[in-house]
Every structure is written in structure tokens, then in C-alpha cells.
Amino acid sequence: MAALAVPIVSFQILTSIRSDGKLKDCAKNDEFSPGASSGSPSPCQFYMLSYHHARMQAAARDFGWEIAMEVLDTVASVHGLEQSLHNHLYQEYSDYEYPEPLKVRILLSHEGLITIKSASTPAVPLENLFPLALTLPLTTVPASKDSTSTHFPPSWQFHLAPDPIPPSLFTRHKTTQREAYNLARLSLRAPEDGGMTSNAKEPIPEILLHGPEKHLSEASLSTPYLYRPSHISHTAEPGSDIAPRSNWVTPLMSSGGNQGTTRRWALEKGMLCVEGKVELQSLCDGEVIWVSNGVRGWGWGRVVL
């Protein structure tokens, strides 16, 4: 009897998370700790940890990786993943609770093997990780403790990708199969890590991606949020509790974007953003765009067309 062919999976599921000792003093981040789901949140130095775990679970489920799903449900539960991250810190930095900020890449294989890598990343204020609101930045003065809005200096510069990227599981979920993203970044000779590990003062070059229907889908390394005050949320029904409460719009998932952790948090907060279609023709040279990701948190910049 001929041996059954075993499909070769050449990619891994990927998520990048911030490790930062300052997060242990941030009550908002406790909500993502292993015990939070059972009503016992605790200090955690990994940014939105439970959302990263859920993100990997969703990807493994959609790709049909049964062994990986079982691993995430057992030895690599949120608690197990936290322990693995602390073990990595000890192996690499001789400190289970290494306090300096790091970009930590968590990779999950089809066989359920988890690999962790890390590199230094710039320090950022906690308000960059959990902003109170998104505003049109008319000033670069940091928000006061009593302020209800948040002002950060510009840190990004946005350019439009030359070619569309069709929606697929590889745009919905973050994996190591990133050729389309890398090609888009090469069009501007932008570094693949987007400056996530750099302390450079220059704005981070970011690429705005779009699909065949000419709707904005996401950015190559982050989730974008655009100011559209006349927008009506596609996800809200009249009289519902999720009626539009923000003038900032992030592209619909169906447009081909990634299920990012900070995007999920922003939508669940309600006051930060809503989902909607963003047509490419609506983009203006010089307009302000906010972005977020699981390493740098939140920042803004301007479009260059």
C-alpha cells in the first residue's frame, strides 16, 4: 500500500507582542492577563497578551491546524504562553521579568511548535499603548493628566501601495508568508520591520494597502484609522448599543485587512473607532491617519500621495 502524502506547510502563524516592564503598573493591561477571564486579573508585562493568544487560535482554526489548536488549548493556553514568554526572557536576558521594552515574535507551526524571538524596541509612554481618544493632532504637546484627549508627535509617513492585494486567509491572519507585504514595502525601499526595533527620530515609512475593489484594507505593519465624520458604521443597527460613537473609521475586515489585537481593542472600546469602507479616492495628500500595532501601540502621521 502506498504511503499517504503528508501536505507540507511552509509557513507559520505569527504575532508580534510588546514586552515592557512598565506594563506591570498598567491596570488596563491587567485585563489581558491569564487570570482575567476568570475574574482574577494580575500584573502582566506583555501587551494585550490574551488577544494575541486569541489571534493565533483564530488563525489556526481557519487554516485547519488541529494539532496547533490543541496546543493552544492546553500547554500553550494564555497562562502557558505567558510562562513561555518569561522563560524566553530568562534564556535571552537572564531575567524572567526583564523590564526593558522588546519586540517579541511568537511563531506557531502546523505541528504546534512555538518559537519565540525578540529584539529591542523603543520605549513609549503608557498613553501610547492605551489612548483615551483619537484626535486630529493640532498640537504636539503631550496630553496632561486631566485631558480627555491624547496628542502624540507624528511618527509615521504613509504611502499608497502601487498594486492591490486580493483578500485571503493570508491577509486576514498574520503569517510568515508575507511576500505581498514585503513587495509593497520594497516599492518605497522601506525596511521590513518598519522601524519597530529602531530608535530613529525620522517618521516610520508605512504602506497603505488596498484590494481589487479600490477600498483601503490595512497598512503593511499596522491598522489604520481615518477621520471620516460623515461616516455611518456598517456594523451598527439603529438603536443598538454599538451605534456610531466615533468619527474615526478603520477598514472593514471584508476589505482584506488583518485581525490585529489593537484593532480589536479599539473597536470594543467603541469610543475610538468604527468599521467601514474607505475608498481610495477619498484619501487626501497630507491628511492625518492614526495607526496601531501590538508592538508600538498608537501613533499618527500624514499621507504622501
Side-chain angles (χ1 to χ4, degrees):
M1 180 182 294
L4 293 176
V6 178
I8 298 175
V9 179
S10 59
F11 66 92
Q12 296 170 288
I13 292 168
L14 165 67
T15 192
S16 295
I17 187 171
R18 184 182 189 85
S19 174
D20 193 329
K22 290 192 298 185
L23 283 167
K24 291 189 293 184
D25 298 321
C26 178
K28 291 181 179 179
N29 199 57
D30 296 353
E31 300 172 12
F32 307 94
S33 64
S37 60
S38 59
S40 301
S42 58
C44 180
Q45 72 181 81
F46 306 109
Y47 183 38
M48 298 189 183
L49 176 62
S50 63
Y51 278 12
H52 285 272
H53 182 268
R55 180 190 200 184
M56 292 192 294
Q57 280 185 315
R61 181 175 59 251
D62 284 356
F63 284 117
W65 290 7
E66 294 184 3
I67 297 176
M69 290 169 62
E70 183 178 351
V71 168
L72 290 171
D73 287 338
T74 55
V75 294
S77 62
V78 180
H79 177 78
L81 184 59
E82 182 185 45
Q83 188 59 53
S84 295
L85 290 168
H86 281 298
N87 289 342
H88 170 81
L89 296 182
Y90 184 77
Q91 292 168 4
E92 295 296 320
Y93 309 100
S94 301
D95 187 346
Y96 280 108
E97 298 183 353
Y98 182 70
E100 297 304 312
L102 298 170
K103 173 187 177 181
V104 182
R105 285 165 54 94
I106 307 171
L107 299 105
L108 174 66
S109 74
H110 176 259
E111 298 82 9
L113 177 65
I114 289 180
T115 305
I116 300 175
K117 302 177 181 180
S118 62
S120 297
T121 196
V124 296
L126 287 177
E127 66 178 10
N128 284 49
L129 303 179
F130 293 98
L132 299 174
L134 304 184
T135 61
L136 284 173
L138 302 179
T139 175
T140 58
V141 178
S144 69
K145 293 181 179 179
D146 298 326
S147 176
T148 57
S149 62
T150 308
H151 299 285
F152 306 145
S155 54
W156 300 78
Q157 186 178 82
F158 304 102
H159 304 264
L160 194 61
D163 301 306
I165 299 178
S168 72
L169 286 180
F170 293 104
T171 61
R172 178 176 290 269
H173 302 293
K174 189 173 183 179
T175 72
T176 54
Q177 188 164 309
R178 296 183 61 80
E179 288 80 3
Y181 297 88
N182 294 337
L183 284 173
R185 295 191 64 76
L186 282 173
S187 68
L188 289 178
R189 298 181 181 179
E192 290 186 10
D193 77 341
M196 293 299 104
T197 59
S198 171
N199 280 291
K201 300 295 184 181
E202 295 299 316
I204 299 168
E206 177 62 301
I207 315 299
L208 297 173
L209 306 177
H210 52 94
E213 296 184 357
K214 297 183 179 181
H215 295 146
L216 191 67
S217 56
E218 61 174 326
S220 65
L221 298 167
S222 58
T223 296
Y225 309 87
L226 297 93
Y227 188 70
R228 297 292 185 269
S230 62
H231 179 81
I232 298 177
S233 171
H234 287 234
T235 61
E237 297 180 359
S240 74
D241 291 336
I242 58 171
R245 290 176 287 170
S246 173
N247 290 321
W248 293 89
V249 178
T250 193
L252 287 169
M253 190 63 63
S254 58
S255 296
N258 199 263
Q259 292 185 340
T261 55
T262 49
R263 178 186 188 276
R264 175 182 171 181
W265 179 77
L267 287 170
E268 290 180 354
K269 291 294 290 182
M271 294 297 290
L272 289 180
C273 71
V274 294
E275 287 184 301
K277 290 181 180 179
V278 180
E279 296 182 356
L280 293 187
Q281 65 182 15
S282 72
L283 291 175
C284 298
D285 185 54
E287 81 165 280
V288 168
I289 293 182
W290 280 86
V291 289
S292 66
N293 69 29
V295 176
R296 286 258 188 167
W298 298 74
W300 67 276
R302 296 188 183 276
V303 176
V304 178
L305 296 179

